[in-house]
Amino acid sequence: MATAPRAPGPGDVVFQPSPCDLPPGCAKVQARDRPRQCAGRGPALLTHRVPLMTFIVSLLLPLLAFLFWRPVNPLTRSQRRWRTGISLLLALSGLAFATLWRLDVFDYAVEAWIQLAFGWVLVMFILALAFVLLREAGWLLSRLLPRSSRLATVWHGVGLNHGAAALIVLLATLGIWNGLKPPPVQERELVVPNLPAEMDGLRVAVLADLHISPVKRGWRTERIVAATLAVKPDLIVLPGDMVDGEVEDTAAFVTALAKLQAPHGVWLAPGNHEYYHGYTRWMAHFRQMGLGVLENQTATLTINCRTMALSGVGDLAALRAAPYMRGGLAPDLPAVVAAAKGSDVHVLLAHQPKQARAAVATGAVDLQISGHTHGGHILGFDRWVVAPANHGYVRGEYRLQDMTLFVSSGAGQWDGFTARLGVPSRIEVLVLRSAPAVKADGSR
């Protein structure tokens, strides 16, 4: 099938080949509702925005290093000092990385690697904290057992704690590698209740959270694009967080995205990280590459003589006043809902899954595709930390009344927390399915 040209900008109309004999108005892709953009909020870069919680964690790292070895026996005073000292040095390196990042003394190409190193230390902190909590809980429980029990000694024994320390370093390093390597393709079926039968089987490739950066480089982008094109999707969507860094820092590594093509186009909506790195320039750059950019806009796609409204909205980050924001626009659901009226099905690209509650409340969205969570990064961390911070949505399919929400695990992640353990990155291909027809007896 011929590849449809993609809309270079808002308001432009691009004609798409149609398999049915319809007047020209049936087969056009039209972006409507011009974006309302906020002014930039100052020259601060991402390097100025070390979150307060991250900085607090950096200060807690030395305390954890001390607590890790304090109860371990048998160790001589010298042995305990050496082990604590090495752990403290590693912990203080995390604080040093965070400080360098905050001071903005290097180009972003260097700072991205500093973020990666900080993320490595941060993952070790998370794993060490989990181990210390488990160890002390086990030790307390073992104290309730008969005096003959040796479990209390095992919990604070040299062997267990040496093994745990080595495993923590190994897992943190493996997690970073898992995050940096190119993602595989995963195909799955997704039921959309109001999907017309004529669109049943439509293949939608989701490239969420690419976070292309000077660390990941262009070779990774090339691999992702090649893998996506190899599965021949009908439609390609990028629901935000495509890049990290300013245009001059990262543009060379995104060029492969211009090779993406699909019969019904390649469309993107902004994520919060575009707001940190010169929003307006990135949106213009993506348009120059030939990508369809949806900024509180709706594209009308004709597929087998039926219409799909594909909308993209601004990110919730615009609603938070912050000095590191560099332009962007707030989400405008009413605008895209109005633009989608009359279509057979409405698909919404909204970077953060937290927008699902507002989307379902409109009663006018059939499928929301989101990213942002990176699937939760680490098993356990996904359910206990990431899901609660995102209204309970972390990855996969959710049914909200008559709307389906799909949260992608992401094809990448931010360099400052790039580890993945048990939650791999993915290029996700959704095979859309209509809901089975209900028979007269109520069965399907």
Side-chain angles (χ1 to χ4, degrees):
M1 184 181 293
T3 300
R6 287 161 286 170
D12 293 338
V13 177
V14 178
F15 287 92
Q16 178 182 18
S18 175
C20 52
D21 185 15
L22 292 174
C26 171
K28 65 184 178 182
V29 180
Q30 183 177 11
R32 297 174 286 188
D33 297 320
R34 302 189 69 84
R36 293 178 294 189
Q37 184 162 315
C38 306
R41 302 186 184 178
L45 296 176
L46 178 64
T47 48
H48 289 145
R49 65 173 266 285
V50 178
L52 177 62
M53 185 57 67
T54 302
F55 197 71
I56 292 174
V57 167
S58 299
L59 296 176
L60 291 176
L61 284 170
L63 177 60
L64 181 62
F66 175 78
L67 293 176
F68 192 98
W69 295 108
R70 180 68 183 84
V72 177
N73 284 301
L75 287 177
T76 65
R77 180 175 297 180
S78 176
Q79 290 173 330
R80 195 182 310 280
R81 284 176 178 174
W82 270 105
R83 285 158 177 76
T84 303
I86 293 172
S87 299
L88 279 171
L89 184 63
L90 184 60
L92 290 173
S93 70
L95 180 58
F97 291 139
T99 301
L100 287 173
W101 169 20
R102 186 180 182 88
L103 290 176
D104 187 21
V105 295
F106 301 108
D107 291 338
Y108 188 79
V110 176
E111 289 173 352
W113 286 99
I114 294 174
Q115 292 170 11
L116 186 72
F118 172 80
W120 179 62
V121 176
L122 182 60
V123 172
M124 283 191 283
F125 164 81
I126 292 172
L127 296 175
L129 178 62
F131 169 72
V132 168
L133 293 175
L134 177 64
R135 181 188 69 185
E136 297 309 308
W139 181 82
L140 287 172
L141 288 174
S142 66
R143 299 287 290 178
L144 301 177
L145 297 175
R147 290 181 179 274
S148 59
S149 173
R150 299 178 57 187
L151 279 178
T153 304
V154 171
W155 284 112
H156 286 166
V158 172
L160 176 65
N161 288 273
H162 278 175
L167 185 61
I168 286 168
V169 175
L170 179 63
L171 286 176
T173 306
L174 177 63
I176 298 297
W177 167 249
N178 286 341
L180 293 178
K181 67 183 182 181
V185 175
Q186 183 187 63
E187 188 170 309
R188 60 178 294 165
E189 293 190 346
L190 186 70
V191 174
V192 180
N194 294 324
L195 187 74
E198 292 85 350
M199 295 185 189
D200 188 86
L202 187 76
R203 294 162 55 80
V204 181
V206 181
L207 302 180
D209 299 290
L210 291 170
H211 286 278
I212 300 168
S213 73
V215 168
K216 299 182 183 71
R217 314 292 291 182
W219 69 270
R220 189 177 188 273
T221 312
E222 290 275 1
R223 293 276 293 273
I224 290 172
V225 169
T228 303
L229 294 178
V231 297
K232 299 180 179 179
D234 301 308
L235 173 66
I236 301 174
V237 298
L238 294 83
D241 278 9
M242 283 69 68
V243 293
D244 283 309
E246 300 292 319
V247 171
E248 56 268 22
D249 300 316
T250 307
F253 311 126
V254 307
T255 54
L257 295 182
K259 300 177 184 178
L260 289 171
Q261 55 184 1
H264 301 293
V266 182
W267 303 90
L268 65 85
N272 56 303
H273 277 244
E274 279 75 53
Y275 290 49
Y276 306 148
H277 296 291
Y279 176 90
T280 302
R281 294 179 64 200
W282 270 119
M283 295 303 109
H285 188 78
F286 290 139
R287 286 195 176 94
Q288 291 171 2
M289 294 174 64
L291 304 176
V293 179
L294 300 173
E295 300 175 270
N296 289 335
Q297 295 165 292
T298 295
T300 303
L301 313 180
T302 299
I303 303 172
N304 295 332
C305 306
R306 303 298 292 271
T307 56
M308 171 186 287
L310 178 65
S311 299
V313 292
D315 188 70
L316 294 172
L319 303 179
R320 299 194 306 266
Y324 50 80
M325 297 288 289
R326 304 205 61 203
L329 72 163
D332 191 345
L333 271 173
V336 297
V337 166
K341 285 183 179 178
S343 298
D344 295 307
V345 66
H346 187 191
V347 178
L348 174 68
L349 305 181
H351 178 63
Q352 297 194 41
K354 287 191 287 188
Q355 298 201 55
R357 293 182 180 178
V360 75
T362 68
V365 177
D366 301 298
L367 169 63
Q368 176 176 317
I369 299 176
S370 298
H372 187 64
T373 65
H374 310 152
H377 287 275
I378 301 170
L379 288 179
F381 187 79
D382 55 349
R383 302 298 175 185
W384 300 334
V385 178
V386 178
N390 290 276
H391 291 178
Y393 311 126
V394 62
R395 65 177 177 272
E397 176 184 355
Y398 301 87
R399 183 61 52 80
L400 290 77
Q401 300 177 29
D402 291 330
M403 188 186 86
T404 300
L405 167 66
F406 180 77
V407 183
S408 172
S409 292
Q413 56 285 312
W414 174 53
D415 294 328
F417 194 73
T418 204
R420 287 181 178 265
L421 292 170
V423 185
S425 56
R426 296 189 182 103
I427 299 165
E428 287 164 306
V429 177
L430 306 179
V431 182
L432 303 189
R433 295 297 183 190
S434 305
V438 179
K439 299 178 182 178
D441 62 0
S443 63
R444 293 182 182 271

